[in-house]
Amino acid sequence: MAAKPRLGIVMDPIQTIKPAKDSSLAMLLAAQARGMELFYFEQNDLRIRKGEALGHARHLRVHDDLQRWFEFTGGEELPLGSLDVILMRKDPPFDTEYIYTTYILERAEQAGALVVNRPAALRDINEKVFTAWFPQCCPDTLITRSMADMRAFLGEHQTIVVKPLHSMGGQSIFVVHRGDLNANVIFETLTAYETRHAMAQRYVPEIRDGDKRILLIDGKCVEVVLARVPAADDNRGNLAMGAAPEVRPLTERDRWIADQVGPVLRERGVLFAGIDVIGDYLTEVNVTSPTGIRELAKGGHANLADRFLDVIDERLGRR
């Protein structure tokens, strides 16, 4: 009898997730249903010794239960390369510790594990900056440390969105209007007095209709988008900030943007991604721990985690 495939996951503490919304849990449930053995890691469980990636794994079982969604059934020390597949699902911030984790996972990849998404891609694809690879899809965008550049950009566009490059979930995103007396303070804060790069984008008023999350599995978009409609008292289309989810069909422009981005991500080893589109414009390319599977399941698209696992099974079969 063939051995069960062994799947590891690196994530934030599983006890802190919101099980009704968590895409990592959806992936784990789908993997367990296929008979895969699950191994759980947090960042502090990982290390390198004599060039080999090692980890303290906890054996994991998951349940589709909002009160009791996981249990640990033991643990062991193991070479990460002995696992068939490792899901890197640690949330930002994208800091030096995140980068160090990708180095450990790259050693596991070189030892034979399929790491999803590929560690080198996680390092190379900053979720804000990587939009620069697709200028034909984006609103006018500026990445700079210069406050003078930001002031000039604001003067040109009248209303802009400014945000840090390393965070997630709508944190520290500002909409700034020309004449706003807080503009200089915002630019100072985001650039840390011109010592840190930040992003500015032309404001796209269609944000009031929702920030659309398009999921890409192995470079191909799913058939629907998850529109996140901001609350009446907020500009941010992020579920973590109170936006309301709506499942909608793809527009032709949505599909065109996905067709621009998807093949590039696939070539770089990104098997699961989420691109953000406001109106007709790409605003972010999310590759670290994109979410949306559970919300789309509520809209009748419950097979997305299975589709993702199909891709993993195919990759493992090639090996």
Side-chain angles (χ1 to χ4, degrees):
M1 180 180 295
K4 291 182 179 180
R6 290 152 54 94
L7 181 144
I9 189 167
V10 181
M11 60 185 291
D12 291 301
I14 193 169
Q15 64 269 23
T16 67
I17 69 172
K18 296 179 180 178
K21 299 181 178 181
D22 196 86
S23 290
S24 297
L25 179 60
M27 294 172 180
L28 290 168
L29 287 165
Q32 181 175 273
R34 291 173 183 233
M36 290 184 168
E37 291 187 82
L38 305 182
F39 298 80
Y40 169 89
F41 305 89
E42 296 173 21
Q43 282 178 297
N44 60 2
D45 294 317
L46 308 180
R47 65 189 185 280
I48 293 176
R49 179 74 186 273
K50 296 182 179 179
E52 184 177 32
L54 305 169
H56 175 72
R58 281 168 275 183
H59 299 167
L60 175 68
R61 288 196 60 80
V62 288
H63 311 281
D64 198 3
D65 183 331
L66 299 185
Q67 303 303 316
R68 178 179 171 269
W69 58 90
F70 76 97
E71 61 180 303
F72 296 126
T73 60
E76 63 179 292
E77 301 286 332
L78 52 76
L80 297 181
S82 69
L83 298 171
D84 295 291
V85 59
I86 302 172
L87 305 182
M88 174 49 167
R89 293 286 299 175
K90 171 72 179 68
D91 283 342
F94 186 86
D95 53 14
T96 53
E97 285 303 311
Y98 193 102
I99 292 172
Y100 297 150
T101 301
T102 68
Y103 291 142
I104 297 173
L105 293 176
E106 189 160 1
R107 292 300 297 160
E109 180 182 58
Q110 292 171 351
L114 172 66
V115 181
V116 182
N117 289 317
R118 182 175 292 162
L122 294 175
R123 288 196 300 273
D124 290 346
I125 301 176
N126 178 276
E127 303 192 333
K128 276 74 170 179
V129 179
F130 201 66
T131 57
W133 272 245
F134 310 97
Q136 72 277 21
C137 302
C138 301
D140 192 8
T141 300
L142 171 71
I143 297 169
T144 185
R145 289 164 54 148
S146 167
M147 291 171 54
D149 284 353
M150 285 196 167
R151 284 193 291 268
F153 193 76
L154 175 58
E156 178 182 353
H157 289 294
Q158 307 297 310
T159 304
I160 63 174
V161 176
V162 292
K163 49 187 159 180
L165 299 179
H166 63 283
S167 61
M168 60 166 284
Q171 296 172 2
S172 301
I173 294 178
F174 297 88
V175 175
V176 186
H177 304 279
R178 186 176 183 181
D180 189 335
L181 298 182
N182 288 311
N184 284 332
V185 175
I186 292 169
F187 300 157
E188 289 168 2
T189 300
L190 288 181
T191 66
Y193 292 91
E194 301 190 317
T195 65
R196 187 170 60 204
H197 281 83
M199 171 183 274
Q201 289 179 322
R202 176 178 64 79
Y203 177 73
V204 181
E206 287 85 354
I207 183 61
R208 301 313 312 170
D209 296 325
D211 184 346
K212 295 178 285 187
R213 166 60 56 83
I214 302 172
L215 293 181
L216 301 174
I217 299 174
D218 200 20
K220 298 177 182 178
C221 62
V222 304
E223 300 81 5
V224 291
V225 303
L226 178 67
R228 298 157 297 175
V229 181
D233 59 352
D234 206 319
N235 285 303
R236 294 169 295 181
N238 300 89
L239 299 178
M241 299 300 172
E246 292 182 8
V247 178
R248 299 176 185 169
L250 285 169
T251 67
E252 286 303 312
R253 175 72 177 185
D254 294 336
R255 192 178 299 278
W256 178 80
I257 292 172
D259 288 344
Q260 300 292 302
V261 179
V264 177
L265 296 182
R266 185 179 190 275
E267 183 179 350
R268 288 173 175 255
V270 175
L271 301 187
F272 189 78
I275 59 175
D276 291 344
V277 173
I278 299 174
D280 288 337
Y281 298 99
L282 174 71
T283 60
E284 293 190 15
V285 179
N286 298 276
V287 300
T288 50
S289 57
T291 188
I293 288 178
R294 301 284 266 182
E295 288 84 1
L296 289 174
K298 294 174 185 175
H301 298 270
N303 65 337
L304 298 182
D306 271 326
R307 284 171 57 178
F308 173 59
L309 266 294
D310 286 342
V311 171
I312 288 176
D313 283 343
E314 182 201 8
R315 295 295 176 99
L316 293 179
R318 288 183 196 169
R319 294 183 172 207

mmCIF file of all heavy atoms in Angstrom, residues 105-140:
data_model
loop_
_atom_site.group_PDB
_atom_site.id
_atom_site.type_symbol
_atom_site.label_atom_id
_atom_site.label_comp_id
_atom_site.label_asym_id
_atom_site.label_seq_id
_atom_site.Cartn_x
_atom_site.Cartn_y
_atom_site.Cartn_z
ATOM 1 N N LEU A 105 12.706 27.378 3.929
ATOM 2 C CA LEU A 105 11.830 26.605 3.046
ATOM 3 C C LEU A 105 12.480 26.329 1.697
ATOM 4 O O LEU A 105 12.204 25.298 1.068
ATOM 5 C CB LEU A 105 10.496 27.331 2.873
ATOM 6 C CG LEU A 105 9.634 27.408 4.135
ATOM 7 C CD1 LEU A 105 8.386 28.227 3.874
ATOM 8 C CD2 LEU A 105 9.269 26.018 4.643
ATOM 9 N N GLU A 106 13.353 27.209 1.253
ATOM 10 C CA GLU A 106 14.045 26.939 -0.004
ATOM 11 C C GLU A 106 15.000 25.755 0.143
ATOM 12 O O GLU A 106 15.161 24.957 -0.784
ATOM 13 C CB GLU A 106 14.794 28.174 -0.487
ATOM 14 C CG GLU A 106 15.349 28.007 -1.884
ATOM 15 C CD GLU A 106 15.665 29.316 -2.567
ATOM 16 O OE1 GLU A 106 15.475 30.389 -1.960
ATOM 17 O OE2 GLU A 106 16.107 29.264 -3.731
ATOM 18 N N ARG A 107 15.616 25.617 1.320
ATOM 19 C CA ARG A 107 16.444 24.425 1.563
ATOM 20 C C ARG A 107 15.572 23.170 1.561
ATOM 21 O O ARG A 107 15.991 22.114 1.064
ATOM 22 C CB ARG A 107 17.194 24.556 2.894
ATOM 23 C CG ARG A 107 18.262 25.627 2.917
ATOM 24 C CD ARG A 107 19.330 25.388 1.878
ATOM 25 N NE ARG A 107 20.052 24.138 2.120
ATOM 26 C CZ ARG A 107 20.764 23.494 1.195
ATOM 27 N NH1 ARG A 107 20.820 23.956 -0.042
ATOM 28 N NH2 ARG A 107 21.406 22.384 1.505
ATOM 29 N N ALA A 108 14.343 23.267 2.100
ATOM 30 C CA ALA A 108 13.418 22.127 2.047
ATOM 31 C C ALA A 108 13.036 21.809 0.608
ATOM 32 O O ALA A 108 12.950 20.629 0.218
ATOM 33 C CB ALA A 108 12.171 22.435 2.880
ATOM 34 N N GLU A 109 12.816 22.845 -0.180
ATOM 35 C CA GLU A 109 12.492 22.653 -1.593
ATOM 36 C C GLU A 109 13.633 21.938 -2.312
ATOM 37 O O GLU A 109 13.409 21.006 -3.092
ATOM 38 C CB GLU A 109 12.229 24.014 -2.226
ATOM 39 C CG GLU A 109 11.881 23.988 -3.702
ATOM 40 C CD GLU A 109 11.675 25.389 -4.241
ATOM 41 O OE1 GLU A 109 12.609 26.218 -4.137
ATOM 42 O OE2 GLU A 109 10.593 25.672 -4.776
ATOM 43 N N GLN A 110 14.851 22.346 -2.038
ATOM 44 C CA GLN A 110 16.005 21.728 -2.684
ATOM 45 C C GLN A 110 16.201 20.278 -2.229
ATOM 46 O O GLN A 110 16.802 19.476 -2.949
ATOM 47 C CB GLN A 110 17.249 22.563 -2.419
ATOM 48 C CG GLN A 110 17.201 23.912 -3.126
ATOM 49 C CD GLN A 110 18.315 24.851 -2.709
ATOM 50 O OE1 GLN A 110 19.053 24.584 -1.765
ATOM 51 N NE2 GLN A 110 18.441 25.964 -3.418
ATOM 52 N N ALA A 111 15.658 19.965 -1.046
ATOM 53 C CA ALA A 111 15.746 18.591 -0.540
ATOM 54 C C ALA A 111 14.602 17.711 -1.032
ATOM 55 O O ALA A 111 14.550 16.520 -0.688
ATOM 56 C CB ALA A 111 15.782 18.595 0.986
ATOM 57 N N GLY A 112 13.669 18.270 -1.811
ATOM 58 C CA GLY A 112 12.655 17.432 -2.419
ATOM 59 C C GLY A 112 11.215 17.781 -2.138
ATOM 60 O O GLY A 112 10.311 17.222 -2.768
ATOM 61 N N ALA A 113 10.934 18.691 -1.195
ATOM 62 C CA ALA A 113 9.544 19.057 -0.899
ATOM 63 C C ALA A 113 9.026 20.037 -1.957
ATOM 64 O O ALA A 113 9.766 20.896 -2.448
ATOM 65 C CB ALA A 113 9.450 19.680 0.488
ATOM 66 N N LEU A 114 7.761 19.914 -2.301
ATOM 67 C CA LEU A 114 7.082 20.918 -3.115
ATOM 68 C C LEU A 114 6.605 22.018 -2.164
ATOM 69 O O LEU A 114 5.744 21.774 -1.322
ATOM 70 C CB LEU A 114 5.895 20.290 -3.851
ATOM 71 C CG LEU A 114 4.973 21.259 -4.592
ATOM 72 C CD1 LEU A 114 5.700 21.934 -5.749
ATOM 73 C CD2 LEU A 114 3.718 20.543 -5.094
ATOM 74 N N VAL A 115 7.158 23.207 -2.276
ATOM 75 C CA VAL A 115 6.782 24.314 -1.399
ATOM 76 C C VAL A 115 5.875 25.260 -2.178
ATOM 77 O O VAL A 115 6.230 25.721 -3.269
ATOM 78 C CB VAL A 115 8.012 25.065 -0.856
ATOM 79 C CG1 VAL A 115 7.572 26.190 0.081
ATOM 80 C CG2 VAL A 115 8.949 24.098 -0.126
ATOM 81 N N VAL A 116 4.714 25.537 -1.626
ATOM 82 C CA VAL A 116 3.690 26.362 -2.274
ATOM 83 C C VAL A 116 3.317 27.513 -1.330
ATOM 84 O O VAL A 116 2.921 27.269 -0.203
ATOM 85 C CB VAL A 116 2.433 25.518 -2.572
ATOM 86 C CG1 VAL A 116 1.387 26.354 -3.275
ATOM 87 C CG2 VAL A 116 2.804 24.283 -3.417
ATOM 88 N N ASN A 117 3.507 28.749 -1.775
ATOM 89 C CA ASN A 117 4.114 29.140 -3.042
ATOM 90 C C ASN A 117 5.632 29.066 -2.948
ATOM 91 O O ASN A 117 6.188 29.039 -1.858
ATOM 92 C CB ASN A 117 3.652 30.546 -3.419
ATOM 93 C CG ASN A 117 2.195 30.600 -3.831
ATOM 94 O OD1 ASN A 117 1.709 29.752 -4.551
ATOM 95 N ND2 ASN A 117 1.480 31.601 -3.337
ATOM 96 N N ARG A 118 6.298 29.036 -4.112
ATOM 97 C CA ARG A 118 7.748 28.867 -4.147
ATOM 98 C C ARG A 118 8.431 29.947 -3.318
ATOM 99 O O ARG A 118 8.107 31.142 -3.429
ATOM 100 C CB ARG A 118 8.235 28.918 -5.590
ATOM 101 C CG ARG A 118 9.733 28.706 -5.743
ATOM 102 C CD ARG A 118 10.131 28.648 -7.190
ATOM 103 N NE ARG A 118 9.609 27.443 -7.823
ATOM 104 C CZ ARG A 118 9.499 27.283 -9.152
ATOM 105 N NH1 ARG A 118 9.850 28.270 -9.958
ATOM 106 N NH2 ARG A 118 9.033 26.151 -9.637
ATOM 107 N N PRO A 119 9.375 29.573 -2.448
ATOM 108 C CA PRO A 119 10.002 30.558 -1.561
ATOM 109 C C PRO A 119 10.651 31.723 -2.300
ATOM 110 O O PRO A 119 10.533 32.881 -1.864
ATOM 111 C CB PRO A 119 11.036 29.723 -0.799
ATOM 112 C CG PRO A 119 10.481 28.339 -0.801
ATOM 113 C CD PRO A 119 9.794 28.189 -2.111
ATOM 114 N N ALA A 120 11.330 31.463 -3.408
ATOM 115 C CA ALA A 120 11.961 32.558 -4.151
ATOM 116 C C ALA A 120 10.910 33.535 -4.663
ATOM 117 O O ALA A 120 11.134 34.755 -4.683
ATOM 118 C CB ALA A 120 12.786 32.006 -5.311
ATOM 119 N N ALA A 121 9.746 33.017 -5.070
ATOM 120 C CA ALA A 121 8.681 33.898 -5.541
ATOM 121 C C ALA A 121 8.130 34.749 -4.401
ATOM 122 O O ALA A 121 7.818 35.937 -4.589
ATOM 123 C CB ALA A 121 7.557 33.077 -6.175
ATOM 124 N N LEU A 122 7.992 34.159 -3.231
ATOM 125 C CA LEU A 122 7.511 34.933 -2.081
ATOM 126 C C LEU A 122 8.458 36.088 -1.770
ATOM 127 O O LEU A 122 8.006 37.175 -1.383
ATOM 128 C CB LEU A 122 7.368 34.031 -0.856
ATOM 129 C CG LEU A 122 6.292 32.945 -0.940
ATOM 130 C CD1 LEU A 122 6.346 32.054 0.290
ATOM 131 C CD2 LEU A 122 4.909 33.561 -1.098
ATOM 132 N N ARG A 123 9.755 35.872 -1.922
ATOM 133 C CA ARG A 123 10.716 36.952 -1.682
ATOM 134 C C ARG A 123 10.656 38.009 -2.776
ATOM 135 O O ARG A 123 10.794 39.200 -2.517
ATOM 136 C CB ARG A 123 12.137 36.392 -1.597
ATOM 137 C CG ARG A 123 12.430 35.615 -0.344
ATOM 138 C CD ARG A 123 13.927 35.446 -0.155
ATOM 139 N NE ARG A 123 14.563 34.724 -1.250
ATOM 140 C CZ ARG A 123 14.662 33.399 -1.309
ATOM 141 N NH1 ARG A 123 14.142 32.650 -0.350
ATOM 142 N NH2 ARG A 123 15.280 32.818 -2.324
ATOM 143 N N ASP A 124 10.476 37.560 -4.013
ATOM 144 C CA ASP A 124 10.588 38.478 -5.153
ATOM 145 C C ASP A 124 9.318 39.279 -5.417
ATOM 146 O O ASP A 124 9.393 40.374 -5.975
ATOM 147 C CB ASP A 124 10.934 37.696 -6.423
ATOM 148 C CG ASP A 124 12.350 37.152 -6.413
ATOM 149 O OD1 ASP A 124 13.147 37.587 -5.559
ATOM 150 O OD2 ASP A 124 12.658 36.292 -7.259
ATOM 151 N N ILE A 125 8.177 38.727 -5.055
ATOM 152 C CA ILE A 125 6.908 39.340 -5.445
ATOM 153 C C ILE A 125 6.315 40.087 -4.253
ATOM 154 O O ILE A 125 5.490 39.553 -3.506
ATOM 155 C CB ILE A 125 5.927 38.279 -5.992
ATOM 156 C CG1 ILE A 125 6.529 37.576 -7.203
ATOM 157 C CG2 ILE A 125 4.592 38.913 -6.361
ATOM 158 C CD1 ILE A 125 5.691 36.447 -7.758
ATOM 159 N N ASN A 126 6.756 41.313 -4.068
ATOM 160 C CA ASN A 126 6.093 42.161 -3.078
ATOM 161 C C ASN A 126 4.688 42.472 -3.587
ATOM 162 O O ASN A 126 4.493 42.830 -4.758
ATOM 163 C CB ASN A 126 6.875 43.449 -2.856
ATOM 164 C CG ASN A 126 6.177 44.381 -1.874
ATOM 165 O OD1 ASN A 126 5.290 45.136 -2.259
ATOM 166 N ND2 ASN A 126 6.563 44.312 -0.623
ATOM 167 N N GLU A 127 3.714 42.370 -2.713
ATOM 168 C CA GLU A 127 2.326 42.380 -3.147
ATOM 169 C C GLU A 127 1.876 43.738 -3.688
ATOM 170 O O GLU A 127 0.942 43.810 -4.484
ATOM 171 C CB GLU A 127 1.444 41.903 -1.999
ATOM 172 C CG GLU A 127 1.896 40.504 -1.540
ATOM 173 C CD GLU A 127 0.932 39.798 -0.616
ATOM 174 O OE1 GLU A 127 0.186 40.481 0.096
ATOM 175 O OE2 GLU A 127 0.940 38.555 -0.619
ATOM 176 N N LYS A 128 2.542 44.794 -3.271
ATOM 177 C CA LYS A 128 2.256 46.112 -3.832
ATOM 178 C C LYS A 128 3.165 46.409 -5.015
ATOM 179 O O LYS A 128 2.722 46.789 -6.098
ATOM 180 C CB LYS A 128 2.421 47.203 -2.776
ATOM 181 C CG LYS A 128 1.207 47.433 -1.880
ATOM 182 C CD LYS A 128 1.018 46.343 -0.862
ATOM 183 C CE LYS A 128 -0.031 46.693 0.176
ATOM 184 N NZ LYS A 128 -0.206 45.598 1.153
ATOM 185 N N VAL A 129 4.480 46.232 -4.825
ATOM 186 C CA VAL A 129 5.457 46.635 -5.839
ATOM 187 C C VAL A 129 5.298 45.837 -7.125
ATOM 188 O O VAL A 129 5.519 46.357 -8.231
ATOM 189 C CB VAL A 129 6.889 46.492 -5.296
ATOM 190 C CG1 VAL A 129 7.908 46.889 -6.367
ATOM 191 C CG2 VAL A 129 7.091 47.359 -4.054
ATOM 192 N N PHE A 130 4.877 44.574 -7.033
ATOM 193 C CA PHE A 130 4.829 43.722 -8.229
ATOM 194 C C PHE A 130 3.792 44.187 -9.238
ATOM 195 O O PHE A 130 3.813 43.751 -10.393
ATOM 196 C CB PHE A 130 4.586 42.265 -7.835
ATOM 197 C CG PHE A 130 5.008 41.289 -8.897
ATOM 198 C CD1 PHE A 130 6.345 41.153 -9.252
ATOM 199 C CD2 PHE A 130 4.080 40.498 -9.554
ATOM 200 C CE1 PHE A 130 6.745 40.256 -10.241
ATOM 201 C CE2 PHE A 130 4.464 39.593 -10.541
ATOM 202 C CZ PHE A 130 5.799 39.474 -10.893
ATOM 203 N N THR A 131 2.898 45.087 -8.842
ATOM 204 C CA THR A 131 2.003 45.674 -9.837
ATOM 205 C C THR A 131 2.781 46.406 -10.922
ATOM 206 O O THR A 131 2.276 46.585 -12.039
ATOM 207 C CB THR A 131 1.023 46.654 -9.173
ATOM 208 O OG1 THR A 131 1.759 47.677 -8.479
ATOM 209 C CG2 THR A 131 0.105 45.934 -8.193
ATOM 210 N N ALA A 132 4.025 46.827 -10.616
ATOM 211 C CA ALA A 132 4.842 47.532 -11.607
ATOM 212 C C ALA A 132 5.161 46.659 -12.809
ATOM 213 O O ALA A 132 5.534 47.172 -13.871
ATOM 214 C CB ALA A 132 6.138 48.029 -10.961
ATOM 215 N N TRP A 133 5.045 45.335 -12.681
ATOM 216 C CA TRP A 133 5.270 44.435 -13.800
ATOM 217 C C TRP A 133 4.090 44.460 -14.776
ATOM 218 O O TRP A 133 4.189 43.902 -15.866
ATOM 219 C CB TRP A 133 5.510 43.020 -13.285
ATOM 220 C CG TRP A 133 6.941 42.716 -12.973
ATOM 221 C CD1 TRP A 133 7.750 41.799 -13.602
ATOM 222 C CD2 TRP A 133 7.757 43.314 -11.949
ATOM 223 N NE1 TRP A 133 9.000 41.801 -13.037
ATOM 224 C CE2 TRP A 133 9.039 42.722 -12.018
ATOM 225 C CE3 TRP A 133 7.540 44.301 -10.988
ATOM 226 C CZ2 TRP A 133 10.084 43.072 -11.169
ATOM 227 C CZ3 TRP A 133 8.583 44.655 -10.125
ATOM 228 C CH2 TRP A 133 9.822 44.060 -10.225
ATOM 229 N N PHE A 134 2.981 45.096 -14.380
ATOM 230 C CA PHE A 134 1.771 45.110 -15.210
ATOM 231 C C PHE A 134 1.202 46.534 -15.301
ATOM 232 O O PHE A 134 0.026 46.768 -14.979
ATOM 233 C CB PHE A 134 0.723 44.151 -14.628
ATOM 234 C CG PHE A 134 1.270 42.791 -14.325
ATOM 235 C CD1 PHE A 134 1.676 42.456 -13.033
ATOM 236 C CD2 PHE A 134 1.436 41.857 -15.333
ATOM 237 C CE1 PHE A 134 2.213 41.208 -12.757
ATOM 238 C CE2 PHE A 134 1.967 40.605 -15.066
ATOM 239 C CZ PHE A 134 2.366 40.275 -13.781
ATOM 240 N N PRO A 135 2.001 47.507 -15.752
ATOM 241 C CA PRO A 135 1.515 48.895 -15.772
ATOM 242 C C PRO A 135 0.294 49.084 -16.661
ATOM 243 O O PRO A 135 -0.507 50.002 -16.428
ATOM 244 C CB PRO A 135 2.724 49.683 -16.304
ATOM 245 C CG PRO A 135 3.538 48.673 -17.058
ATOM 246 C CD PRO A 135 3.360 47.382 -16.311
ATOM 247 N N GLN A 136 0.136 48.206 -17.651
ATOM 248 C CA GLN A 136 -1.017 48.313 -18.547
ATOM 249 C C GLN A 136 -2.327 48.009 -17.821
ATOM 250 O O GLN A 136 -3.406 48.318 -18.329
ATOM 251 C CB GLN A 136 -0.842 47.371 -19.742
ATOM 252 C CG GLN A 136 -0.993 45.878 -19.441
ATOM 253 C CD GLN A 136 0.263 45.206 -18.898
ATOM 254 O OE1 GLN A 136 1.147 45.869 -18.386
ATOM 255 N NE2 GLN A 136 0.338 43.883 -19.026
ATOM 256 N N CYS A 137 -2.234 47.406 -16.643
ATOM 257 C CA CYS A 137 -3.428 47.002 -15.894
ATOM 258 C C CYS A 137 -3.771 47.960 -14.747
ATOM 259 O O CYS A 137 -4.845 47.818 -14.149
ATOM 260 C CB CYS A 137 -3.222 45.611 -15.298
ATOM 261 S SG CYS A 137 -2.856 44.300 -16.490
ATOM 262 N N CYS A 138 -2.879 48.871 -14.415
ATOM 263 C CA CYS A 138 -2.945 49.586 -13.133
ATOM 264 C C CYS A 138 -3.332 51.049 -13.293
ATOM 265 O O CYS A 138 -3.086 51.664 -14.343
ATOM 266 C CB CYS A 138 -1.586 49.524 -12.441
ATOM 267 S SG CYS A 138 -1.002 47.851 -12.114
ATOM 268 N N PRO A 139 -3.885 51.651 -12.237
ATOM 269 C CA PRO A 139 -3.980 53.109 -12.205
ATOM 270 C C PRO A 139 -2.578 53.687 -12.075
ATOM 271 O O PRO A 139 -1.628 52.969 -11.739
ATOM 272 C CB PRO A 139 -4.813 53.384 -10.944
ATOM 273 C CG PRO A 139 -4.521 52.220 -10.060
ATOM 274 C CD PRO A 139 -4.330 51.034 -10.974
ATOM 275 N N ASP A 140 -2.432 54.970 -12.358
ATOM 276 C CA ASP A 140 -1.118 55.601 -12.217
ATOM 277 C C ASP A 140 -0.606 55.352 -10.800
ATOM 278 O O ASP A 140 -1.313 55.615 -9.816
ATOM 279 C CB ASP A 140 -1.219 57.100 -12.499
ATOM 280 C CG ASP A 140 0.150 57.748 -12.661
ATOM 281 O OD1 ASP A 140 1.163 57.016 -12.705
ATOM 282 O OD2 ASP A 140 0.200 58.991 -12.732
#
